[in-house]
Amino acid sequence: MPRTLTDLPFAGWPVVRYVGAATLVRCVDGGATVGLVLLALRRLPQGAAAGGLFVALLTVPHLLGPWLARQLDRSADGRRLLAGAFVLHGAALAAGAALMGVAPLPVVGALLLLAGAGGPIVTGGLSSRLPEIAVRARMARGRAEGWDAVTYGVGGTAGPALVAGLAAVADPLSAVLGLGVATVVAGAVVLTLPDDPRKPTLPGESDPRKPGLPGETVASREGRRGEGVLTVRQALGLMVTLGPLRRVLVATLLTAVTAGGLTVVAVEFGARLGHGEAAGAALAAVYGLGNLAGSLAVTAFPLRGEPERLTVRHVVILAVALALCALSPVYPVAVAAFGLAGFANAPLFAASLAARSAYSPPGARAQVFVSIAGLKMGLSSVGAAGAGAALVLGPRPLLAAGAALVLVAAVVAVADRRLTAAPARPRPGRTAPGGVAPEEVRECG
């Protein structure tokens, strides 16, 4: 009989189980905002205003990501922490939805704030475990990261659609409760993933799951393990001082501002081209479908090359695609351009994941993943708000400005690299800053 969940017969496909769990939680992440707004419109007199507040409460805790992620870096078995965060996220989300319109708004808000506290672990925290899982599965990291990008694409596209469909067939509460159940199921799947095969053992400890030095308690052993984990301040400083991480961070954040406002601009752009708001929403949907298609392409044909250079290259490609969106003279051309922009965003995201894996030290990998994800989400919100406020200028100027901002991200990265003269590629025979062998960096993992 199997002694642990990972001894089960299907344990030979850890990436398959990872993709299943990641797809579930990213559909939840994509659909929760839509579900909460629909539920608020149905149950509360404040309607959309209350829904917007609840979405903000679900998002704000991402700022706590670096502190929460440090616990994941310190953990000897990150699966339990991940599963616990999943259950917390799902249970609090379901409870907040069930009490909406029944309990006072502060109670509902507190529950959604609690649900949001699990958000950073559910997104970036889970992705930070993928490099080790890929090693255990003997899968090229680039291919595994391509599958990770697919889960984000599916979540962003299918999550809102599933919630909207279920809300139409049943009601918004059923949709949000379904999201809560899906998150708990994903947590159970996470427990079947292999533990970290690269987790360093401590002196006197041949297996991290066995007792360490004579007379040592579990607490003291975990304290010794945590000594190799960077503090939050050190991890954040690392992202600024380590050239490759800094350049990828800047490129990611500047492109996030443009991407955050793209949906808002697309709706207005479709209307201006004479096809109404529905056609504008279709442009946003085409962007999402293009992103999903690009993610599948990256999975089939993994990126090869130095992650930092790949990131900058695909930033430039995205800028060109966005410029084509701004120049689209008629609606069919705009549909093709938005699909191309979505497709171009997928390899950029995969290259960014590869860079985070390659250049993050083991003692701060989760913190780097979660910090970048949280900052990206924050700047995406800024982009959405800014696009909404600036729509009076017209969608074409905003699309052109977005393309220019993305191009600036590439220029800044190239200038930074040349000025600092700090090559990202490790010298032969040495490992990358994240403890990754040179051949893994060349193959994007």
Side-chain angles (χ1 to χ4, degrees):
M1 292 184 65
R3 293 174 297 174
T4 66
L5 286 171
T6 54
D7 291 329
L8 292 172
F10 58 84
W13 301 296
V15 174
V16 174
R17 297 198 306 282
Y18 173 91
V19 168
T23 300
L24 280 176
V25 296
R26 281 150 195 172
C27 282
V28 172
D29 192 51
T33 55
V34 175
L36 289 175
V37 172
L38 291 175
L39 188 59
L41 289 170
R42 177 75 62 89
R43 288 193 164 193
L44 298 174
Q46 298 89 343
L53 174 62
F54 292 150
V55 170
L57 291 174
L58 196 63
T59 305
V60 164
H62 279 77
L63 297 175
L64 299 175
W67 287 268
L68 297 173
R70 186 169 189 268
Q71 302 309 310
L72 186 58
D73 280 327
R74 287 171 56 93
S75 176
D77 189 351
R79 297 170 300 179
R80 296 181 182 179
L81 181 58
L82 283 168
F86 282 30
V87 171
L88 171 68
H89 185 72
L93 177 64
L99 293 176
M100 193 179 297
V102 178
L105 288 182
V107 174
V108 177
L111 285 168
L112 294 178
L113 199 63
L114 184 62
I121 301 298
V122 167
T123 52
L126 181 60
S127 289
S128 73
R129 316 309 289 178
L130 182 59
E132 288 78 17
I133 294 172
V135 169
R136 180 66 63 90
R138 298 179 181 178
M139 177 181 288
R141 188 191 295 172
R143 191 176 299 278
E145 285 160 348
W147 279 114
D148 202 28
V150 168
T151 67
Y152 280 101
V154 171
T157 305
L162 289 173
V163 167
L166 186 55
V169 173
D171 59 80
L173 178 59
S174 299
V176 180
L177 292 179
L179 296 179
V181 172
T183 310
V184 174
V185 171
V189 176
V190 164
L191 289 175
T192 73
L193 297 174
D195 56 3
D196 187 347
R198 294 185 180 181
K199 182 73 71 175
T201 56
L202 299 170
E205 172 182 57
S206 59
D207 187 323
R209 292 169 293 185
K210 296 179 181 179
L213 298 174
E216 184 177 37
T217 65
V218 173
S220 61
R221 179 158 55 95
E222 289 306 303
R224 284 200 296 132
R225 188 182 305 283
E227 291 175 1
V229 177
L230 275 64
T231 65
V232 172
R233 183 175 180 179
Q234 289 171 330
L236 293 176
L238 180 74
M239 291 190 292
V240 175
T241 57
L242 188 61
L245 272 181
R246 178 179 64 251
R247 292 185 281 272
V248 169
L249 173 65
V250 170
T252 299
L253 297 186
L254 289 180
T255 55
V257 175
T258 297
L262 200 58
T263 300
V264 178
V265 176
V267 173
E268 180 67 16
F269 195 41
R272 294 287 183 94
L273 290 175
H275 289 262
E277 293 183 357
L283 285 182
V286 167
Y287 177 86
L289 291 173
N291 191 11
L292 179 57
S295 300
L296 291 171
V298 170
T299 302
F301 306 99
L303 300 176
R304 295 181 180 276
E306 184 186 336
E308 182 193 346
R309 291 184 182 274
L310 284 171
T311 300
V312 176
R313 181 184 308 162
H314 286 287
V315 166
V316 174
I317 294 173
L318 178 60
V320 172
L322 290 172
L324 292 176
C325 292
L327 296 173
S328 299
V330 292
Y331 185 74
V333 176
V335 170
F338 272 82
L340 179 62
F343 191 93
N345 188 61
L348 169 59
F349 181 63
S352 171
L353 290 177
R356 297 180 215 179
S357 296
Y359 306 127
S360 303
R365 179 170 291 161
Q367 293 179 76
V368 169
F369 266 84
V370 173
S371 298
I372 293 179
L375 290 170
K376 181 180 177 181
M377 179 170 288
L379 285 182
S380 293
S381 301
V382 170
L391 267 180
V392 292
L393 301 175
R396 286 189 191 277
L398 290 184
L399 286 170
L405 182 61
V406 173
L407 188 59
V408 165
V411 172
V412 168
V414 172
D416 182 351
R417 182 172 178 128
R418 290 183 177 178
L419 288 173
T420 56
R425 184 187 300 276
R427 283 177 286 180
R430 298 184 62 182
T431 58
V436 183
E439 59 272 16
E440 292 183 284
V441 176
R442 287 197 299 272
E443 298 300 322
C444 210

